[in-house]
Amino acid sequence: MDPEPLEVRHAVREAINTLSSSRDGVRISEVLGTIKCYLGGTENQAPLKEREEFTQLHFSAFLRSLVSNLSADWMELLTSDQQKELWDSFFLEGPADQAFLVLLDSIISTGPGFRLMKLISILEQFLQLGGMSALMWEVCHQQAQAGSPTFQETLLNKVVCLPDHLCNKLQGNNLPVFFPQNYFPLLATEIIQVLQRICDSLRGGLDCSVSFVSQVLGKVCMHGRQREILNKLVPCLVELTEADCVWQRVCWRLVERVPDRWMEAAVCGFVQTAPGADVLSRLLGNLVVKNKKAQFVLTQKLLLLQYGCETAVLQSLLGYLALDGLRRSLLIKVLRELLETWGSSSAVKHSPVEQQLHISKAILICLALLKEPEIENNGQELLASMMGGMKCHLDSSLPRVRRLGMVVAESISSRITTDGPRLQFQYEDDDETRELKFLLKQPAPLQPTVRHDSPSASPKAVSKPSGSPHPGVSALPEERSDSELDSDDDLIPYDMSEDKELKKMKAPVYIRDCIEVLTGSEDLDMWEATMRVLESLIRRNSATVREVSTELAKVLLHLEEKTPLDGFAELRQRALVAVTTTDPVPVTQYLTSQLYSLNYSLRQRMDILDVLALAAQELSQPQVSGKTKPCSAQHPCPQALPATGSSQDWRRAVDERIKSKTRYLAKGRCLAEPACGPNRFSSLAGHFFFPLLQGFDRPLVTFDLLGADHLVLGRLAHTLAALMHFAVRSVAATAMGKALLEFVWALRFHTDAYVRQGLLSAVSSTLLSVPSERLLEDMTDEFLETQSWLADVAEKDPDGDCRRLACHNLLLMENLLKKL
């Protein structure tokens, strides 16, 4: 064996023995100075071969010796600051990877005391003086020279988990530099320093590996710290890669060398942090083409399996696919898969509305990024996907889903139809639809947009139309003198040739005359006047109405609009409600029997349900001086479901009922006493409720509630919930609640979200309207079964409103059990 290694080994052994046994500060300082020669950087440094031998074989052992001898008494032997700095220098100036491991292992294994605080202080200095960049640079060299994988794996775990180790050890006494929100931005700064040295090495023609830095970045992202590290790292990379091809290559390699098991977290972090498609393209390069894992994340997981991305992130991701010729084929592939999912009836039924909105946004962004040749080549496929997806969305009972289908179908039609008619639907615009339409008009990435606020763009003059805005009125000359303006001869008469004489039509004053007008009269003006006065006539002539109530209800139910009349549907509905409340039993029997009859449209069947709900609401209100008191803020009641099928009014009623049952410790003085009176609906509830349950499971030739007509089924569930709500404290409430829970149990696994919302609203009404004693005594089995089902819905249902309602019901059940 060569003598030099023996000399280094002997010197280290002697130094360790001296440090352990000597209490002479001068002697200790001499020993530290002798060993310092093997680290280099001194005037009398040891030869290179000895320095390498020391750092590779003996440095960690010597550091552990320094830590084992560390105590307050031992440090007092080093009298001067220079001697103490010499002790610190072994950790701060030696090989950073070994020093870091010794420090962290010693901290973890050391109990409270002087030694622990000293080691914490040294580790803090290590981080602040750039120890992490030195550590990563050393490992990059080792990887280029095939270093030890085990050592590198250990070091990687310690670097990434440093905040966890220090938090567990120090707990309330932790230092700010070790907090995650401070440590990972510092680590990002150190990564930039290492990458700068790697770029310098490449420019100098030296080989260097970036793998360890990639592993650090990937593992940090996998631990959920993407925001802390990338918010600092990405802006620096954006600036450095803007005009430097070497930095771009290093950045691409940095992400490409992230191990596959951490690639998803790293790529998602870059996509969410990069401020645009061009920046993302500059940072990732063609990673999506080179790496299968990254391709799966970018083209499948973020777009089809998740829906948490903001609109700007979707634009950045899809714009990244569109910015390069190699990646544009993936853009077409992504659009096909998005349209396939959008057109899947199963996806429309079972996926949350938020995910469908996410997919709709992605489709529109893709359409905006497609070029005209790509539109022409894929036009037929887009048309076929549009037709299938449009049908699935229009069949949905959720208004929001139908509106999404309309907007997307309109957008696809506008892109693939260059001439001829395009699809156009009627729906109410809201912020969501406006945002979707705006996405289709977005310019392609990296195309300069025209600024309209520049001085050159400001118009110098506004052209005026040559024609007059009003027919028959001539345009005035632009300039006239005061005398000309004052002349009566220049006053131009209005053209009144097309004006029509207003006819004063006398409306009918008898109910039978109204029936004749509505059924046989061809006088459209008389028909319109009759519709406007019909409700008031019904309410003023209750005795006459009872004689022809069923006939009048039949006429109104089958009545069609003969002439455009504003509010025709509302006038017809209010008249039907007035008939039903005036003569409840025969009219209700007629309406409920017609719900399951042949030759009725879905609109008429839903009108029947709306009228029953509104009539029950009116009958349940107290009367003052023989008149029904309208709903007030003190007695909120649900209104009839609108044509869109929203169930918000029913839920509001349930929320108000819960509020009324809540006990308040303090309350302000009531300004007005609520009106009191008998609930006329109590004795009629059975006539409204039970016939609706008799035929829901019997399919007809043109009507199948359990099949395709789930929109009416959902409306039925909400109507039953409303009737149950209005029957509170009635004699029939217990029997109604039992029947309603059985109805819910039979349909609890229905695939349509609107139906499930109605069932959950029915459960809420039952819990609030049936006396709690009857619930737990007469319906124990139903109560427990429903509770189990609600727990499953609250955890697993894909619809957010269903989950919220289930949690609401579970809370009601818990309160009932506590009360009893």
Side-chain angles (χ1 to χ4, degrees), residues 114-173:
F114 174 83
R115 179 184 299 174
L116 178 63
M117 299 312 298
K118 178 65 176 177
L119 294 174
I120 293 294
S121 175
I122 294 295
L123 182 58
E124 182 182 18
Q125 294 181 56
F126 179 88
L127 295 179
Q128 294 172 345
L129 295 177
M132 280 300 177
S133 60
L135 181 153
M136 288 185 282
W137 175 249
E138 290 173 3
V139 180
C140 288
H141 266 294
Q142 292 174 7
Q143 286 182 331
Q145 301 170 5
S148 170
T150 304
F151 176 78
Q152 292 173 6
E153 184 69 23
T154 302
L155 193 60
L156 174 65
N157 292 331
K158 299 294 185 183
V159 169
V160 175
C161 299
L162 174 68
D164 298 330
H165 290 304
L166 270 297
C167 179
N168 291 335
K169 187 66 180 179
L170 300 179
Q171 297 182 1
N173 298 320

Side-chain angles (χ1 to χ4, degrees), residues 555-620:
V555 170
L556 289 172
L557 183 61
H558 294 82
L559 187 63
E560 295 182 357
E561 190 174 9
K562 293 184 177 181
T563 180
L565 174 62
D566 292 338
F568 166 76
E570 182 181 358
L571 292 173
R572 172 172 163 270
Q573 184 184 74
R574 287 164 57 181
L576 268 170
V577 172
V579 174
T580 307
T581 55
T582 302
D583 197 11
V585 175
V587 176
T588 301
Q589 290 175 350
Y590 169 73
L591 291 177
T592 53
S593 66
Q594 299 308 297
L595 179 66
Y596 298 110
S597 297
L598 294 172
N599 302 324
Y600 280 93
S601 67
L602 298 184
R603 179 70 264 168
Q604 288 175 307
R605 298 182 197 276
M606 289 191 289
D607 287 342
I608 291 174
L609 295 173
D610 288 345
V611 168
L612 291 174
L614 281 171
Q617 172 189 350
E618 184 175 327
L619 291 170
S620 66

Side-chain angles (χ1 to χ4, degrees), residues 297-456:
V297 172
L298 292 174
T299 63
Q300 297 286 324
K301 195 155 191 178
L302 289 178
L303 296 175
L304 298 172
L305 303 180
Q306 298 177 355
Y307 53 94
C309 294
E310 298 179 354
T311 304
V313 175
L314 282 176
Q315 291 176 309
S316 179
L317 169 57
L318 295 169
Y320 161 74
L321 296 178
L323 279 176
D324 187 87
L326 292 175
R327 305 195 293 260
R328 287 199 71 87
S329 60
L330 291 176
L331 180 67
I332 304 296
K333 177 184 176 185
V334 162
L335 178 57
R336 290 195 184 103
E337 293 174 345
L338 287 170
L339 287 172
E340 182 181 352
T341 303
W342 179 76
S344 169
S345 59
S346 177
V348 172
K349 287 182 180 179
H350 299 99
S351 59
V353 180
E354 293 78 11
Q355 185 171 9
Q356 298 182 48
L357 174 62
H358 167 91
I359 291 176
S360 300
K361 288 180 179 180
I363 290 173
L364 296 182
I365 295 171
C366 288
L367 289 174
L369 293 170
L370 289 183
K371 300 177 181 178
E372 291 304 324
E374 295 169 333
I375 293 288
E376 294 176 1
N377 295 335
N378 299 277
Q380 293 301 320
E381 186 176 354
L382 290 175
L383 180 62
S385 300
M386 180 195 74
M387 298 303 293
M390 181 177 63
K391 180 181 183 303
C392 294
H393 283 77
L394 294 181
D395 285 344
S396 174
S397 58
L398 297 178
R400 190 178 176 191
V401 174
R402 293 199 298 272
R403 194 161 53 243
L404 285 177
M406 295 176 193
V407 174
V408 175
E410 282 182 352
S411 303
I412 297 175
S413 175
S414 67
R415 286 307 311 269
I416 64 178
T417 305
T418 56
D419 53 356
R422 300 176 180 178
L423 275 180
Q424 189 171 2
F425 296 95
Q426 291 183 354
Y427 50 84
E428 184 177 353
D429 261 345
D430 55 10
D431 293 340
E432 187 173 280
T433 57
R434 283 189 287 270
E435 180 188 9
L436 289 171
K437 293 177 181 179
F438 179 73
L439 292 177
L440 190 66
K441 301 176 183 178
Q442 288 288 78
L446 298 183
Q447 288 183 355
T449 56
V450 179
R451 292 183 60 86
H452 298 284
D453 54 351
S454 61
S456 61

Side-chain angles (χ1 to χ4, degrees), residues 692-704:
L692 296 180
L693 290 174
Q694 291 178 355
F696 76 92
D697 56 347
R698 301 171 190 170
L700 303 176
V701 176
T702 58
F703 183 53
D704 185 6

Side-chain angles (χ1 to χ4, degrees), residues 24-45:
D24 184 357
V26 177
R27 176 60 179 159
I28 292 175
S29 299
E30 291 176 355
V31 170
L32 293 178
T34 301
I35 299 300
K36 186 65 182 294
C37 296
Y38 293 110
L39 283 180
T42 60
E43 296 180 358
N44 56 342
Q45 63 183 7

